[in-house]
Amino acid sequence: MKQPILTRWLVMLGVLAWLVSCKPEADFRPLDTFFHYQRITEIAIDTTVQKDFIAGIDRIDVPLALLYAKDADGNRIDLPDHLVQYLWEEVPLPDNHFRFTERGTYAIRAKFGQVLSAPVTFRVHGHQDIKLRLSVDYQRAGQPYHGTYVADSLTTARFSIGAWIGNKPIQDRSGARLYVNDSPLPDTLFTTRHPGLYTFKVRWQSIESNAIVLDARSPVKRLVIDLGLDARYFYADGKTRLTVELTALDENDRPMRPTPDLTLTQNGVNIPSGSVLSTQEVRAFTFRATGYGLTNQQVTINSVRDETFRVVRLPVIFHVNTSAYPAFTEKKVADMLAQVTQIYRGQYGVERPRAFNSADAYVEFYAAETDPAGRPLPQKGIDAVPLPQRKYTYYKSEDMKVLTDEAWKYYWNPDYYLNVWVTQIEEGFSFAYFPAWSTNLEGTSSYTKPEQPNYTFGTFFNYDHTAGVLAHELGHNLALDHVFSGAGYELNGCSATDPDECDDTPYYDRTAYQASMGSNPYQRTACDGTHFISSNVMDYFHTYENSFTRDQRRRMRHTLDKAYWLPTRFNNPNAPNGRAGLRVPNGYIQKPSQTVNMKRAI
Ligand SMILES: [Zn+2]
């Protein structure tokens, strides 16, 4: 039984194999299936395919397919796509693929027999149809940042590129390129150390996005070339050594640490910050700083030979209420004047920090030896006087009037003596009058000399003040103003013009100094941002008070040459070197009916 059954199965398999191998190329379906096709009344194209294309960018080759075919009753009928034609304007699409590459709108229909589908619209766009949008956000140290873009390489601009055809985002934006100032940018992150205006745009062939303009601000507000002093000269003596420091200040005028990329040149040659300058040649040195978009920072300093002058010696008489201030002795006077002389000769405190441009004023002071009647003074330099009050208050005008009236009683001819009235002045001040010039000087006017002095030219000295204060007040007598703007409690900040008419004395904001007086109270920050150690006699507060400068000397020398009421050759040609003669004509000055309010300083 087994054999015949097996044989029969083998025969059936052979027939089946023949049937399969002989399957015709045409669809092989039962006739009732074709009968079903004839019942089709509605066909629809599958619209889930990509229908928007960009010519030249997208590959345009879409196989078309039906979504469904239905009969009149709405029954779906499975209809193979190769039996369907796809038409554009009655023309069949080859291979049933959409492959148009010309810009345009294509309404495609499917056709089966007499049945037409609803049209499906395909669009082939040109580049001109692309819409590009560029946007940006900022990060600093990994955090979102909304402040000013700073060109310090720490602020990153992150660009986002959007591209649309109509309202539809284009997924593949690889054709879009980001440009900065017309140069391609390799990625969408931007950071720079170079300040300036940067214009960002996206381009995709001929299409451009909106522009984003980035104003990359310099992190450096200004560059300061610091020579230790804002002077324009130093001595060509081979000994004076300047340290040239370049500092970058940020928005808040704080030095930047670490110092960013900066270049410092000396006469066109690069030098490191901190270089030392010293020379025996007389010449100009120009330093220029560049970096972070700042290019015009320049300082010129000249090396100069110092001048020499004739020594002027000024006799000083102290009118002292000796019963009230017994400690104000001949020795004290001698010691103070010796120190004041050292200060004016540039010999005082030379071991301490001192302005490198300090100058010898060639002025000396000594205690008067005789009174106007020619009598030797019991104590050199001291005129013992009775004053009705022990104390006078500077900011009380009636006190000052009383004190001035007292001074008129004890006022020796100023052509022969420099007068110093000694008492106690409340508020802890000493004060002094400025001189009257026959020929004017910067910041002053010339003056016609009356018959006799019409103000108490000289110094009012607080009995317990130091020789440094005396040197300061005598500086006022010799035409020097404060190196800063203001006097006493008056705080004028950084004035628009140099307050003392001396270019070689830096000036500073006293309010800021007092607020930030730090570990080194001798340190100052000048109004131009440079730093210096205060050593000028005409400063206040912590100062080594061992320096005058050349410009200050120029004012003093002009005063010695041209001002009235000083014991100088100009006023007293018969007493060489200002020394008082034995008998002084008009030795005791009387208060005139008309006095003037001359400028005085504390
Ligand atoms: Zn003063």
Side-chain angles (χ1 to χ4, degrees):
M1 279 298 283
K2 278 191 174 178
Q3 188 65 31
I5 292 170
L6 179 64
T7 306
R8 196 178 307 145
W9 271 110
L10 283 171
V11 170
M12 285 175 71
L13 275 172
V15 170
L16 192 61
W18 176 83
L19 279 171
V20 170
S21 67
C22 293
K23 183 175 178 287
E25 285 303 311
D27 198 56
F28 176 76
R29 282 168 194 270
L31 281 176
D32 61 341
T33 307
F34 286 104
F35 173 75
H36 281 300
Y37 294 165
Q38 286 173 358
R39 292 172 53 203
I40 290 173
T41 57
E42 183 189 352
I43 57 177
I45 300 177
D46 179 4
T47 58
T48 60
V49 295
Q50 183 179 355
K51 295 189 293 296
D52 281 280
F53 302 92
I54 306 161
I57 293 169
D58 291 324
R59 183 170 168 272
I60 308 177
D61 186 1
V62 186
L64 299 169
L66 284 187
L67 181 63
Y68 60 78
K70 290 178 181 173
D71 66 13
D73 297 327
N75 298 312
R76 281 175 177 264
I77 295 170
D78 187 15
L79 178 61
D81 271 314
H82 70 266
L83 299 179
V84 182
Q85 277 191 322
Y86 293 87
L87 308 173
W88 175 61
E89 294 180 350
E90 311 304 325
V91 180
L93 304 188
D95 206 17
N96 283 354
H97 277 62
F98 180 86
R99 292 191 178 105
F100 290 98
T101 54
E102 266 190 46
R103 184 174 182 242
T105 303
Y106 300 88
I108 304 297
R109 289 170 189 266
K111 185 183 182 195
F112 176 69
Q114 297 307 310
V115 182
L116 272 175
S117 74
V120 171
T121 302
F122 288 74
R123 288 187 183 83
V124 177
H125 303 278
H127 294 101
Q128 54 269 56
D129 302 318
I130 299 175
K131 291 194 173 52
L132 296 172
R133 170 127 207 106
L134 183 62
S135 55
V136 66
D137 62 69
Y138 301 97
Q139 282 210 333
R140 199 169 162 79
Q143 297 297 316
Y145 176 72
H146 303 287
T148 307
Y149 185 92
V150 182
D152 58 1
S153 80
L154 300 174
T155 315
T156 302
R158 303 191 313 166
F159 290 95
S160 304
I161 299 169
W164 291 266
I165 287 288
N167 293 324
K168 192 164 173 277
I170 301 172
Q171 299 307 323
D172 179 7
R173 298 185 295 270
S174 54
R177 283 270 173 281
L178 180 58
Y179 287 79
V180 54
N181 295 347
D182 292 327
S183 298
L185 202 63
D187 61 25
T188 52
L189 300 179
F190 178 78
T191 180
T192 185
R193 297 175 80 108
H194 302 285
L197 282 182
Y198 294 89
T199 302
F200 295 87
K201 277 180 190 171
V202 174
R203 291 194 189 128
W204 195 337
Q205 302 219 353
S206 61
I207 304 302
E208 267 192 4
S209 72
N210 56 307
I212 290 180
V213 178
L214 184 61
D215 183 3
R217 299 290 178 84
S218 174
V220 180
K221 186 171 136 199
R222 57 182 175 146
L223 302 176
V224 176
I225 299 170
D226 198 337
L227 302 171
L229 197 59
D230 70 350
R232 298 292 170 259
Y233 66 86
F234 68 105
Y235 295 124
D237 55 7
K239 289 181 283 188
T240 305
R241 293 161 62 83
L242 306 190
T243 304
V244 188
E245 298 271 8
L246 173 57
T247 312
L249 301 183
D250 69 11
E251 293 275 312
N252 303 310
D253 275 341
R254 284 185 304 237
M256 294 183 63
R257 297 280 184 269
T259 306
D261 305 334
L262 300 171
T263 304
L264 178 64
T265 62
Q266 174 184 317
N267 295 346
V269 177
N270 280 25
I271 59 164
S273 177
S275 294
V276 171
L277 178 62
S278 182
T279 187
Q280 289 186 299
E281 280 179 63
V282 172
R283 56 173 294 195
F285 295 88
T286 296
F287 299 94
R288 191 187 292 272
T290 54
Y292 279 79
L294 305 173
T295 55
N296 55 351
Q297 312 295 306
Q298 183 177 314
V299 168
T300 295
I301 188 164
N302 294 294
S303 54
V304 298
R305 300 245 182 270
D306 199 11
E307 302 155 89
T308 56
F309 293 84
R310 176 178 60 85
V311 175
V312 175
R313 303 189 73 235
L314 302 174
V316 185
I317 185 67
F318 292 83
H319 307 285
V320 188
N321 187 352
T322 49
S323 60
Y325 310 111
F328 213 94
T329 61
E330 178 184 57
K331 175 160 190 328
K332 180 181 169 80
V333 164
D335 289 348
M336 282 209 303
L337 291 181
Q339 185 180 327
V340 170
T341 294
Q342 277 195 311
I343 292 171
Y344 277 73
R345 294 304 311 268
Q347 296 161 354
Y348 175 75
V350 292
E351 74 288 353
R352 296 195 290 176
R354 195 153 72 121
F356 62 79
N357 57 358
S358 63
D360 180 353
Y362 295 91
V363 180
E364 299 185 355
F365 301 86
Y366 66 98
E369 290 166 11
T370 54
D371 70 11
R375 295 170 298 212
L377 290 166
Q379 292 194 83
K380 282 181 191 165
I382 293 184
D383 170 31
V385 299
L387 290 181
Q389 288 177 225
R390 279 185 65 93
K391 293 181 187 177
Y392 300 85
T393 301
Y394 185 79
Y395 284 118
K396 267 193 200 163
S397 58
E398 59 273 30
D399 261 23
M400 286 299 100
K401 188 176 180 309
V402 171
L403 179 59
T404 309
D405 282 344
E406 288 301 318
W408 276 112
K409 292 180 194 164
Y410 313 106
Y411 188 8
W412 292 5
N413 189 335
D415 286 349
Y416 293 81
Y417 302 93
L418 196 46
N419 287 270
V420 178
W421 294 274
V422 179
T423 185
Q424 184 174 352
I425 304 165
E426 287 292 281
E427 318 271 357
F429 292 135
S430 292
F431 65 92
Y433 282 93
F434 286 94
W437 296 272
S438 62
T439 309
N440 65 328
L441 189 61
E442 300 94 324
T444 72
S445 52
S446 61
Y447 190 82
T448 305
K449 190 179 188 181
E451 287 280 304
Q452 68 171 75
N454 53 6
Y455 69 107
T456 50
F457 174 70
T459 287
F460 290 76
F461 190 64
N462 215 321
Y463 76 105
D464 62 352
H465 274 177
T466 61
V469 175
L470 182 59
H472 177 102
E473 302 307 333
L474 293 173
H476 288 315
N477 287 157
L478 296 178
L480 300 187
D481 219 325
H482 294 141
V483 293
F484 52 82
S485 180
Y489 299 132
E490 192 189 342
L491 302 169
N492 293 346
C494 280
S495 52
T497 54
D498 195 335
D500 67 352
E501 309 280 348
C502 293
D503 284 346
D504 60 0
T505 58
Y507 57 106
Y508 65 97
D509 180 343
R510 269 171 73 205
T511 315
Y513 162 69
Q514 283 176 278
S516 66
M517 205 186 296
S519 56
N520 183 0
Y522 292 89
Q523 171 95 37
R524 303 284 196 279
T525 301
C527 289
D528 68 356
T530 58
H531 298 284
F532 65 98
I533 298 296
S534 176
S535 64
N536 201 285
V537 176
M538 301 316 290
D539 201 352
Y540 272 6
F541 303 106
H542 296 275
T543 169
Y544 290 110
E545 51 192 21
N546 56 6
S547 308
F548 290 109
T549 65
R550 290 205 315 169
D551 281 353
Q552 288 178 320
R553 176 174 65 193
R554 184 173 48 78
R555 292 180 73 78
M556 288 195 274
R557 297 306 301 198
H558 178 90
T559 300
L560 295 169
D561 288 346
K562 302 288 181 189
Y564 306 123
W565 304 319
L566 274 162
T568 55
R569 276 188 190 174
F570 176 70
N571 296 303
N572 180 13
N574 299 322
N577 235 3
R579 184 176 292 274
L582 282 182
R583 276 189 151 279
V584 174
N586 188 24
Y588 301 95
I589 302 297
Q590 301 300 307
K591 184 180 181 183
S593 54
Q594 293 289 314
T595 58
V596 291
N597 284 321
M598 285 297 273
K599 187 183 166 192
R600 69 181 181 217
I602 301 169

